[in-house]
């Protein structure tokens, strides 16, 4: 199986950037809170006795931090450097906000906990511990400044509190804020590290599974291809000497072998798509022909099961710029699913609708239907509908989704229990904007 794969650095970078973006949104919330406090200084409202100029400058600085951070993410600056700069700047912003909103008599120190918690998931336990220590130092410095009268407490709550006369209360207040802040850094830091280790283990397990699947499936393709060739030779060499029933059995065997080969190719193609190594071969393709060919291929098997296949086409020539073989496999997958779940006597209908920009292909069956809670999950990799008596690889619809979205279209299902299912997908007639497939499930 080769060497053990290293963690995907690009994936980790994307997750860190996403977490930082969420932290910047929280910073925007803090700015909004400051704006609300400034608004509350209006005599017609609560009329808090706050310094609007100072808080306006703080709110502007907080907004600037969020803007610079977002710009840095878009400009691909180092995520870790942006995280450190953002958390240190927000800690200073919070400390100034505490001072100008009442110092030790304001509930604002609780926001330190929010910053420490965010840091835990951005920079781990060590980063959270550093920001927690920095927070309690900033808070202590602010209390000392107020105690020494360098910058008196702003009385916004109309509470007569003289810092210079309440030194012991300031110490108790500092301890009350510092202990939860430091404890928060240890608890959330440990939790974030455990979650990160669990995530890495899950990714490693998924990589091992994918590597094993790829190896097995790749080795299966050669004997399946050889079997297909043998069946073709039998059909050509002995066709004149076989009865109709014998020919039909051999054709069914060939059809089943073709489905198996298609499954193998789907697994290999999905791996290529996820790795960004799959390229579409675009050409002007008659979609109506693809539908008719795939329907005719399944006709014999449907007749054996007592099913009826119907095709509704508005035209026999509808040209679309697409990868014809791939779209043909998408149609074949949807027809195979419908065939699998439609009972004897049921009807499977394929329709094609067109507009000047897109086409919509639908495969409708009269099967048992799909529960609403599973209708989104069925497109996920290895997903199965719980309680179903039919089993597959769980990759057919995943393949369909990846191929359709690579073409710039979308795929969905409409279903009602007891009344069947309708799988539909769209394709832009002009084709996709790129031929390189980079899909993530």
């Amino acid at each position: 199986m080769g060497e053990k794969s290293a963690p995907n650095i690009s994936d980790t970078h994307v997750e860190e950037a996403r977490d930082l973006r969420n932290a910047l949104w929280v910073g925007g919330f803090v700015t909004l809170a400051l704006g609300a406090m400034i608004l509350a200084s209006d005599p017609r409202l609560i009329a808090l006795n706050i310094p609007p100029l100072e808080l306006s400058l703080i709110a502007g600085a907080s907004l600037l931090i969020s803007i610079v951070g977002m710009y840095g993410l878009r400009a691909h600056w180092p995520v870790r450097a942006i995280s450190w700069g953002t958390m240190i700047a927000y800690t200073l912003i919070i400390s100034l906000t505490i001072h100008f909103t009442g110092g030790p008599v304001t509930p604002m120190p609780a926001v330190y906990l929010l910053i420490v918690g965010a840091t835990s998931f951005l920079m781990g336990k060590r980063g959270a511990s550093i920001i927690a220590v920095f927070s309690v130092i900033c808070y202590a410095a602010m209390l000392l400044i107020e105690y020494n009268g360098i910058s008196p407490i702003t009385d916004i709550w109309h509470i007569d509190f003289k810092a210079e006369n309440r030194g012991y209360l300031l110490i108790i207040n500092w301890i009350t804020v510092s202990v939860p802040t430091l404890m928060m850094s240890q608890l959330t830091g440990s939790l974030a590290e455990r979650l990160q280790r669990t995530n890495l283990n899950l990714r490693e397990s998924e990589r091992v599974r994918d590597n094993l699947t790829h190896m097995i499936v790749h080795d299966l393709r050669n004997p399946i291809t050889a079997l297909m060739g043998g069946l073709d030779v039998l059909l050509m060499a002995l066709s004149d000497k076989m009865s109709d029933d014998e020919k039909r059995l051999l054709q069914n065997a060939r059809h089943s072998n073709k489905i198996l080969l298609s499954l193998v190719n789907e697994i290999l193609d999905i791996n290529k798509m996820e790795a960004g190594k799959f390229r579409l071969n675009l050409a002007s393709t008659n979609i109506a022909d693809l539908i008719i060919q795939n329907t005719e291929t399944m006709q014999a098997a449907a007749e054996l099961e007592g099913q009826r296949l119907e095709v509704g086409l508005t035209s026999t020539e509808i040209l679309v710029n697409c990868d014809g073989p791939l779209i043909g496999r998408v149609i074949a997958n949807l027809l195979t699913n419908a065939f699998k779940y439609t009972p004897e006597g049921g009807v499977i209908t394929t329709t094609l609708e067109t507009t000047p920009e897109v086409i919509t292909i639908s495969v409708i069956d009269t099967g048992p239907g799909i529960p609403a809670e599973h209708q989104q999950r069925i497109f996920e990799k290895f997903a199965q509908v719980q309680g179903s008596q039919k089993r597959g690889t769980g990759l057919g619809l995943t393949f369909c989704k990846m191929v359709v979205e690579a073409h710039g279209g979308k795929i969905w299902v409409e279903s009602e229990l007891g009344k069947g299912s309708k799988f539909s997908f769209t394709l832009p007639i002009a084709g996709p904007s790129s031929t390189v497939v980079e899909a993530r499930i």
Side-chain angles (χ1 to χ4, degrees):
M1 292 186 47
E3 296 181 359
K4 183 178 180 179
S5 302
N8 191 320
I9 296 175
S10 62
D11 285 350
T12 303
H13 177 84
V14 169
E15 290 182 357
E16 289 181 351
R18 181 195 60 207
D19 292 340
L20 177 57
R21 189 174 291 107
N22 292 337
L24 293 171
W25 278 111
V26 172
F29 171 77
V30 173
T31 304
L32 183 63
L34 290 175
M37 295 192 72
I38 295 171
L39 183 64
S41 66
D42 191 313
R44 292 169 296 180
L45 299 174
I46 303 174
L48 297 176
N49 184 29
I50 65 173
L53 176 60
E54 287 83 352
L55 281 186
S56 296
L57 291 174
I58 292 172
S62 177
L63 183 61
L64 181 62
I65 293 169
S66 296
I67 292 173
V68 171
M70 291 291 189
Y71 173 80
L73 289 175
R74 292 181 64 88
H76 304 292
W77 294 354
V79 175
R80 188 54 60 94
I82 301 175
S83 299
W84 276 111
T86 299
M87 293 300 104
I88 290 172
Y90 276 149
T91 302
L92 293 172
I93 289 289
I94 291 169
S95 301
L96 290 172
T97 304
I98 292 170
H99 173 64
F100 288 109
T101 56
V105 299
T106 180
M108 288 297 291
V111 184
Y112 281 135
L113 301 178
L114 184 62
I115 293 297
V116 170
T119 306
S120 300
F121 291 94
L122 287 172
M123 296 177 288
K125 188 175 182 179
R126 179 174 174 272
S129 299
I130 292 173
I131 293 298
V133 171
F134 182 60
S135 298
V136 299
I137 290 174
C138 286
Y139 190 56
M142 185 208 69
L143 292 177
L144 282 173
I145 289 172
E146 293 173 347
Y147 178 72
N148 292 313
I150 299 173
S151 181
I153 292 176
T154 303
D155 180 22
I156 74 169
W157 305 103
H158 309 293
I159 298 175
D160 186 17
F161 185 90
K162 303 297 182 181
E164 60 272 19
N165 300 327
R166 302 291 182 90
Y168 66 95
L169 285 179
L170 295 182
I171 293 174
I172 293 173
N173 180 267
W174 179 77
I175 293 173
T176 303
V177 171
S178 300
V179 172
T181 302
L182 294 171
M183 289 180 63
M184 181 78 166
S185 70
Q186 299 303 304
L187 292 174
T188 58
S190 298
L191 175 61
E193 289 185 350
R194 284 200 298 270
L195 289 174
Q196 186 179 30
R197 285 195 298 269
T198 300
N199 187 34
L200 289 175
N201 289 335
L202 287 173
R203 285 185 177 181
E204 181 61 27
S205 298
E206 185 174 354
R207 276 191 293 272
V208 170
R209 182 196 66 190
D210 287 346
N211 288 340
L212 180 61
T213 301
H214 186 274
M215 181 183 67
I216 294 173
V217 170
H218 189 273
D219 290 342
L220 280 174
R221 185 158 59 175
N222 289 335
I224 293 173
T225 303
L227 180 58
M228 177 74 80
L231 291 173
D232 287 338
V233 171
L234 284 175
L235 276 172
M236 287 188 295
L238 303 177
S239 179
D240 296 338
K241 302 176 183 179
M242 298 171 68
S243 66
D244 290 342
D245 289 339
E246 289 171 337
K247 288 180 183 178
R248 180 169 293 183
L249 287 173
L250 196 56
Q251 288 170 347
N252 287 339
R254 187 183 183 282
H255 176 70
S256 298
N257 196 79
K258 184 178 179 181
I259 292 175
L260 183 57
L261 183 60
S262 178
L263 290 174
V264 168
N265 289 331
E266 281 171 12
I267 296 173
L268 296 176
D269 288 344
I270 286 173
N271 286 338
K272 289 180 181 178
M273 290 179 191
E274 290 181 322
K277 298 178 180 179
F278 195 92
R279 186 175 293 273
L280 300 176
N281 296 313
L282 301 179
S284 182
T285 304
N286 188 350
I287 296 296
D289 278 350
L290 289 181
I291 293 175
I292 293 171
Q293 289 168 9
N294 281 282
T295 302
E296 290 178 348
T297 299
M298 293 196 61
Q299 191 68 47
E303 289 177 0
L304 286 176
E305 296 294 330
Q307 299 168 346
R308 190 169 77 253
L309 299 181
E310 296 180 352
V311 178
L313 299 177
T314 56
S315 172
T316 57
E317 186 176 14
I318 300 174
L319 300 179
V320 176
N321 187 33
C322 65
D323 189 318
L326 282 184
I327 297 302
R329 284 164 61 186
V330 170
I331 296 171
N333 275 350
L334 297 181
L335 283 170
T336 300
N337 268 2
F339 172 77
K340 185 190 304 182
Y341 290 99
T342 300
E344 183 177 355
V347 180
I348 300 168
T349 306
T350 306
T351 63
L352 174 60
E353 300 174 1
T354 64
T355 69
E357 291 82 23
V358 299
I359 65 166
T360 302
I361 300 173
S362 299
V363 177
I364 309 163
D365 64 56
T366 55
I370 303 169
E373 62 270 21
H374 294 296
Q375 290 180 18
Q376 292 301 319
R377 286 193 63 251
I378 57 176
F379 293 102
E380 296 174 4
K381 198 173 180 182
F382 299 114
Q384 300 276 355
V385 176
Q386 294 179 359
S388 172
Q389 300 299 316
K390 307 288 186 179
R391 292 293 172 185
T393 62
L395 290 173
L397 291 176
T398 301
F399 174 81
C400 294
K401 181 176 185 290
M402 296 172 80
V403 170
V404 169
E405 291 181 351
H407 280 79
K410 63 178 182 178
I411 186 170
W412 69 96
V413 62
E414 302 167 66
S415 184
E416 187 175 346
L417 288 177
K419 295 186 178 180
S421 303
K422 178 181 180 181
F423 284 86
S424 303
F425 68 93
T426 61
L427 292 175
I429 291 176
S433 58
S434 174
T435 60
V436 178
V437 181
E438 278 192 72
R440 297 285 176 189
I441 297 298

